Amino acid sequence: MTCAYPVFMRRCLLAAFLILLLPVGSLARLTSTEQYMQKQGLVDIHTLDSTIKVNLMYAYGDNFTGKVLYTDIHRAYLHPKAAKALVDAQRFLRKEHPQWSLVIFDAARPMSVQQVMWNEVKRTPKRIYVSNPANGGGLHNYGLAVDVSICNAKGDTLSMGTKIDYMGSLAHITNEEQMMRAGKLTKTAIQNRKLLRRVMEAAGFRCLSTEWWHFNYVSRATARKYYKVIR
């Protein structure tokens, strides 16, 4: 089994150490962006299920932009409906594998961050992997999408064939069997992807065809009609 991000466990240990150093009551403090998200009705997933792991990849520089994009987001926020569904998915996973857990790599994302991401790819072939803010952005910008994988009891993410945030055909779910026959994906990686899809779809999510880790709770049309965008 491999880690989607090799520094995952080091981050967890560092976070635990820093928590011990915080003064009493400081854990309740929210950044201005987190306060804004709460006022907009989004919820911190850990208020519903603290067993779901959180490792926000855009809070660190080892993502496709090479930049820290979340300077004041430290918690995974989702729309309450999507958050409840994710808790259901965690329950479905643990019914099959009690020692395993979902791990969130991205959840609600401000449109301002979406613009930075779009600027990185808009003149490259990778633009197909990032939603254009000028067209309304994507479901992350409504708190209705989540980037997620599965980790074992040690905190190591299961092998999925690519790391989170990989922009290329190996991340697509539409040609997995072909990639396996070509020796580019292992049978284990495909089985793990199918497990992830099974528990997420049972909870009401749908996987994005080009990113095995990305799950939407509603359609873009529904989001734009009935939900608020996160600025």
Side-chain angles (χ1 to χ4, degrees):
M1 295 182 181
T2 59
C3 291
Y5 281 87
V7 296
F8 178 56
M9 289 306 297
R10 284 189 307 225
R11 290 177 184 168
C12 292
L13 292 172
L14 177 60
F17 175 72
L18 292 175
I19 285 173
L20 292 175
L21 297 180
L22 290 173
V24 175
S26 63
L27 290 179
R29 297 173 188 165
L30 302 176
T31 67
S32 58
T33 299
E34 290 171 339
Q35 290 177 27
Y36 161 70
M37 287 185 173
Q38 285 201 356
K39 288 178 181 178
Q40 191 153 322
L42 303 179
V43 297
D44 173 3
I45 192 65
H46 276 171
T47 63
L48 301 182
D49 188 340
S50 61
T51 69
I52 297 174
K53 309 299 182 185
V54 175
N55 183 32
L56 299 179
M57 59 183 164
Y58 297 118
Y60 304 91
D62 52 342
N63 58 69
F64 81 93
T65 69
K67 304 174 182 177
V68 175
L69 302 182
Y70 289 169
T71 58
D72 61 349
I73 301 176
H74 311 299
R75 299 163 174 85
Y77 285 89
L78 287 170
H79 186 278
K81 292 181 180 179
K84 181 181 180 300
L86 193 66
V87 170
D88 289 340
Q90 174 81 333
R91 186 174 70 254
F92 297 148
L93 173 63
R94 292 205 152 184
K95 186 175 181 179
E96 292 189 44
H97 302 280
Q99 300 303 313
W100 292 1
S101 174
L102 295 175
V103 51
I104 300 173
F105 286 96
D106 197 26
R109 179 192 304 157
M111 192 67 83
S112 57
V113 174
Q114 188 71 29
Q115 185 66 57
V116 174
M117 295 170 66
W118 174 249
N119 290 344
E120 288 287 325
V121 301
K122 62 183 179 181
R123 295 185 179 89
T124 77
K126 294 182 178 180
R127 63 184 179 275
I128 66 171
Y129 297 101
V130 179
S131 296
N132 187 347
N135 297 330
L139 291 179
H140 280 294
N141 307 126
Y142 296 84
L144 291 165
V146 61
D147 292 340
V148 64
S149 189
I150 299 172
C151 66
N152 62 21
K154 295 180 179 180
D156 297 326
T157 51
L158 306 190
S159 173
M160 299 287 182
T162 75
K163 72 174 187 176
I164 297 282
D165 226 18
Y166 177 83
M167 295 180 174
S169 59
L170 282 179
H172 298 195
I173 69 172
T174 51
N175 58 354
E176 291 171 338
E177 299 297 329
Q178 178 184 350
M179 290 294 182
M180 183 178 68
R181 290 193 295 270
K184 296 180 179 180
L185 285 178
T186 66
K187 184 178 180 180
T188 297
I190 293 176
Q191 289 175 335
N192 290 337
R193 289 186 184 190
K194 288 181 177 179
L195 171 62
L196 178 61
R197 290 200 292 269
R198 185 165 69 250
V199 298
M200 292 294 285
E201 289 172 0
F205 288 93
R206 290 295 177 268
C207 188
L208 190 65
S209 63
T210 55
E211 299 174 358
W212 60 259
W213 58 86
H214 179 110
F215 291 84
N216 294 327
Y217 187 66
V218 299
S219 68
R220 290 193 186 193
T222 297
R224 291 169 186 172
K225 185 174 182 179
Y226 297 108
Y227 299 92
K228 296 179 181 179
V229 71
I230 306 164
R231 299 297 179 186

